[in-house]
């Protein structure tokens, strides 16, 4: 049986505030660690092995703890092939690198519009003024829903993410239930409208292929996943990456002098402070992981963020180096569940940082308004990141 490192729990406030020292302890002392009712896997090679073997480590039994509220019985993140393949094919063409490239002018236009407002107001919170509204606007436009409902989208998303970090508390579960009810009502109405009057948007395109989704409710659930995942990861990528630049001013200066390395910066931001800390799998049979026998039916926590700080894979893994090469991280997962929206997230984060460092001179952390960290065991990000600039 795996050992137990009692200091580590993904639900402990100290771990959520700064998990990386705990991950280092796990990798060094207890890489296959029993924590509560699951087993945490922390080394890069082991995490990749689990992610690339869905037959042995299945997603079909949910991606949360047993006592947490489930978004739905079957989504792309809680299914394996062939069901996962069918669901992914409904939306896959909208997120290919070729299709994402066509969005670049719009992403630049939205970014510059948001920064115009920041400059005019002379006040900047990286999260509320850029990192959140940019990706939520783009994914809303892709889906074909009104970005003016952004506050509703944020509330629905925040309540769902908070429920994942609540340990299954009734208060958070109730809030998630209410938000999901509102979401289903809103998107059910949009889907009904598209059935009678299709448009050039992703919801209409999904309806054309809806025969692959036997349960109509799954289409609404898929919209929920696309909306939340379509902005949550990118919001936290932009926020975490910008904070890392503020905390490493030599890297910020390097990026300002060499904006052409923005894409490399994005990969390092993903590795260094991963927006998704980890996801669960469940063993379908007795299996050996790093010399430890794991029984069938065991919930496994694949710690992406720990794998991305593994010194066996990354030289000077705790150093933020925006020129790092190679940088084969697992921030977007690996295997059949590799993040569908990875190309779009990379594009949005790259353009956001290019325009920030270009247009906001002497960009830096506001010493009088400290960042506020989002405390969640699965999602790592910021609620607020106030900054100063001289445009």
């Amino acid at each position: 049986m795996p050992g137990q490192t009692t200091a580590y729990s993904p639900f402990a406030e100290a771990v959520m505030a700064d998990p990386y020292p705990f991950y280092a302890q796990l990798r060094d002392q207890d890489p296959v660690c029993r924590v509560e009712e699951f087993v945490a896997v922390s080394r890069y090679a082991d995490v990749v092995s689990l992610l690339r073997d869905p037959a042995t480590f299945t997603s079909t039994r949910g991606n949360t703890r047993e006592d947490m509220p489930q978004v739905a019985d079957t989504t792309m993140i809680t299914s394996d092939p062939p069901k996962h393949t069918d669901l992914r094919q409904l939306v896959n063409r909208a997120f290919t690198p070729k299709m994402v490239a066509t969005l670049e002018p719009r992403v630049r236009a939205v970014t510059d519009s948001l920064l115009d407002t920041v400059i005019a107001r002379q006040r900047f919170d990286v999260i509320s003024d850029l990192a959140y509204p940019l990706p939520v606007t783009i994914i809303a436009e892709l889906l074909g829903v009104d970005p003016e409902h952004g506050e509703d989208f944020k509330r629905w998303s925040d309540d769902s993410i908070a429920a994942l970090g609540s340990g299954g508390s009734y208060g958070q579960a109730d809030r998630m239930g209410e938000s999901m009810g509102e979401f289903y009502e809103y998107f059910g109405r949009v889907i009904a409208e598209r059935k009678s009057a299709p448009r050039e948007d992703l919801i209409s395109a999904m309806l054309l292929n809806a025969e692959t989704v036997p349960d109509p409710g799954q289409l609404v659930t898929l919209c929920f996943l696309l909306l939340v995942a379509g902005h949550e990861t990118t919001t936290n990528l932009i926020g975490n990456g910008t904070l890392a630049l503020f905390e490493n001013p030599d890297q910020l200066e390097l990026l300002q002098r060499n904006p052409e390395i923005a894409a490399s910066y994005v990969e390092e931001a993903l590795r260094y402070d991963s927006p998704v800390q980890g996801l669960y799998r469940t063993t379908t049979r007795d299996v050996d992981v790093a010399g430890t026998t794991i029984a069938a039916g065991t919930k496994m926590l694949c710690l992406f963020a720990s794998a991305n700080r593994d010194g066996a894979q990354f030289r000077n893994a705790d150093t933020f180096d925006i020129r790092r090469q190679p940088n084969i991280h697992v921030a977007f997962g690996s295997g059949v569940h590799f993040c569908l929206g990875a190309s779009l997230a990379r594009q949005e984060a790259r353009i956001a940082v290019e325009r920030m460092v270009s247009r906001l001179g002497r960009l830096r952390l506001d010493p009088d308004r400290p960042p506020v960290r989002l405390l969640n065991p699965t999602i790592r990000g910021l609620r607020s990141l106030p900054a100063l600039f001289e445009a």
Side-chain angles (χ1 to χ4, degrees), residues 8-286:
Y8 171 76
S9 167
F11 308 99
E13 187 168 324
V15 174
M16 289 188 282
D18 183 9
Y20 297 105
F22 296 91
Y23 293 159
Q25 182 187 17
L26 289 179
R27 290 192 304 271
D28 291 343
Q29 301 176 16
D30 206 355
V32 183
C33 172
R34 170 68 67 177
V35 182
E36 301 180 19
E37 78 281 13
F38 57 87
V39 173
V41 179
S42 53
R43 289 179 178 169
Y44 181 93
D46 299 328
V47 167
V48 171
S49 179
L50 265 65
L51 294 175
R52 293 182 178 176
D53 185 3
T56 303
F57 303 97
T58 180
S59 300
T60 60
R61 301 180 196 177
N63 235 311
T64 62
R65 303 194 314 170
E66 297 299 333
D67 59 346
M68 286 183 172
Q70 299 286 332
V71 171
D73 292 334
T74 306
T75 70
M76 279 192 288
I77 62 171
T78 60
S79 63
D80 291 324
K83 185 62 183 177
H84 172 268
T85 305
D86 290 342
L87 291 169
R88 194 173 179 112
Q89 285 179 346
L90 275 176
V91 295
N92 188 53
R93 288 201 305 176
F95 295 98
T96 63
K98 182 178 180 180
M99 290 300 295
V100 167
T102 67
L103 297 173
E104 180 153 343
R106 178 58 180 156
V107 174
R108 287 189 177 277
V110 173
T111 301
D112 278 328
S113 176
L114 292 168
L115 292 176
D116 286 345
T117 300
V118 166
I119 292 168
R121 196 176 59 222
Q122 285 294 300
R123 192 174 179 87
F124 188 28
D125 187 303
V126 176
I127 306 303
S128 61
D129 295 331
L130 179 62
Y132 172 74
L134 170 60
V136 82
T137 298
I138 299 302
I139 193 62
E141 291 179 352
L142 273 175
L143 285 168
V145 296
D146 191 344
E148 290 184 5
H149 286 279
E151 288 305 312
D152 288 329
F153 299 155
K154 181 170 176 56
R155 176 167 49 81
W156 297 334
S157 176
D158 286 350
D159 287 348
S160 300
I161 295 301
L164 292 175
S166 70
S169 73
Y170 289 112
Q172 292 290 1
D174 288 346
R175 286 183 58 186
M176 180 182 180
E178 292 173 4
S179 286
M180 286 299 296
E182 293 177 21
F183 181 93
Y184 270 69
E185 180 182 356
Y186 174 78
F187 271 85
R189 188 167 62 249
V190 171
I191 288 169
E193 292 171 356
R194 295 300 184 277
K195 285 181 179 178
S196 60
R199 300 182 185 177
E200 293 293 325
D201 58 35
L202 187 51
I203 290 178
S204 298
M206 288 191 290
L207 284 167
L208 291 176
N209 299 291
E211 67 275 5
T212 61
V213 183
D215 178 3
Q218 286 185 354
L219 191 57
V220 181
T221 300
L222 187 54
C223 289
F224 175 83
L225 179 63
L226 290 170
L227 179 65
V228 174
H231 81 268
E232 191 74 43
T233 298
T234 309
T235 295
N236 295 325
L237 164 57
I238 294 170
N240 294 346
T242 304
L243 179 59
L245 287 173
F246 290 159
E247 293 176 338
N248 296 271
D250 61 316
Q251 298 297 292
L252 175 57
E253 182 181 353
L254 177 62
L255 182 60
Q256 289 172 323
R257 293 198 315 266
N258 303 275
E260 70 276 6
I261 64 172
S264 178
Y265 150 78
V266 170
E267 298 308 308
E268 182 66 347
L270 285 161
R271 183 202 71 85
Y272 182 76
D273 201 6
S274 304
V276 177
Q277 293 288 285
L279 289 175
Y280 292 92
R281 299 290 187 265
T282 303
T283 54
T284 60
R285 60 179 177 85
D286 293 354

Side-chain angles (χ1 to χ4, degrees), residues 280-300:
Y280 292 92
R281 299 290 187 265
T282 303
T283 54
T284 60
R285 60 179 177 85
D286 293 354
V287 63
D288 180 273
V289 179
T292 299
T293 299
I294 306 296
T298 301
K299 185 81 79 175
M300 309 289 290

